[in-house]
Amino acid sequence: MESKPENIRITYRIATIGEIIGLRDRVIIRGTDRSSPGFPGDEDSDTYHLAALREGSVIGCLSLMTVHQDNQSAFQLRGMAVEPFYQGQGIGRSLLAFTEKWVVKHTPVRLMWCNARTTAKGFYTKRGWKPVSEEFSIPGVGPHYRLIRNLDD
């Protein structure tokens, strides 16, 4: 079995949908009833895709879709994924932290929300996200919770 590299250098930046769609397909979509890794709004001018890269290869990603929540502008975080080989090494945590700082620096939006798989709820709550729903099921995907993050807190 190949060991995971130590001290890998990861960079974080805005990406294109074309750069991240393959990772979404491999990590999020396979094993679900979804037929496509694309989401409505992926190509919208107010949607942002962010990536974690190692040696130029995307190993982590997420997307921010502009929506309204509680009568204010918000970003819905969607499609967060990390290549299985790199999971458990803090890449998702660092990508989320980079994203939150990027949002504060580059946009007026201060509210973020997501529908997180039940298995990922703890990942978000450890980082200041708060559950605002009971568990619910997304057909063909599985159980989720809605969580929010106010970036002014």
Side-chain angles (χ1 to χ4, degrees):
M1 181 173 174
E2 187 177 352
S3 63
K4 294 186 180 183
E6 294 182 28
N7 299 323
I8 56 174
R9 185 169 185 278
I10 308 298
T11 57
Y12 302 89
R13 66 167 171 80
I14 294 293
T16 66
I17 187 60
E19 290 175 299
I20 68 165
I21 200 79
L23 179 59
R24 262 196 211 163
D25 187 46
R26 288 188 302 279
V27 176
I28 303 172
I29 303 307
R30 291 201 182 143
T32 71
D33 289 346
R34 287 186 53 108
S35 60
S36 168
F39 299 136
D42 270 338
E43 303 283 348
D44 291 354
S45 62
D46 57 356
T47 292
Y48 302 96
H49 307 286
L50 292 95
L53 298 99
R54 177 170 187 252
E55 298 177 352
S57 295
V58 174
I59 61 168
C61 69
L62 62 78
S63 296
L64 299 174
M65 311 284 191
T66 302
V67 294
H68 290 284
Q69 180 77 20
D70 299 328
N71 296 316
Q72 62 180 312
S73 290
F75 283 127
Q76 180 184 7
L77 186 153
R78 296 194 72 185
M80 185 166 187
V82 173
E83 285 282 7
F85 182 77
Y86 294 100
Q87 290 177 4
Q89 298 182 49
I91 292 165
R93 178 182 67 237
S94 295
L95 177 59
L96 186 60
F98 172 84
T99 299
E100 291 175 356
K101 289 176 187 168
W102 185 90
V103 167
V104 168
K105 184 175 180 179
H106 297 284
T107 79
V109 174
R110 295 298 176 265
L111 182 66
M112 296 175 65
W113 66 277
C114 69
N115 291 327
R117 291 181 192 215
T118 297
T119 56
K121 179 183 173 195
F123 169 84
Y124 290 100
T125 58
K126 288 177 187 174
R127 284 148 192 91
W129 291 65
K130 295 180 175 39
V132 292
S133 76
E134 297 295 321
E135 186 178 67
F136 63 95
S137 184
I138 295 178
V141 180
H144 285 68
Y145 283 88
R146 179 164 292 188
L147 294 104
I148 64 168
R149 173 84 163 100
N150 185 329
L151 299 174
D152 285 332
D153 290 346

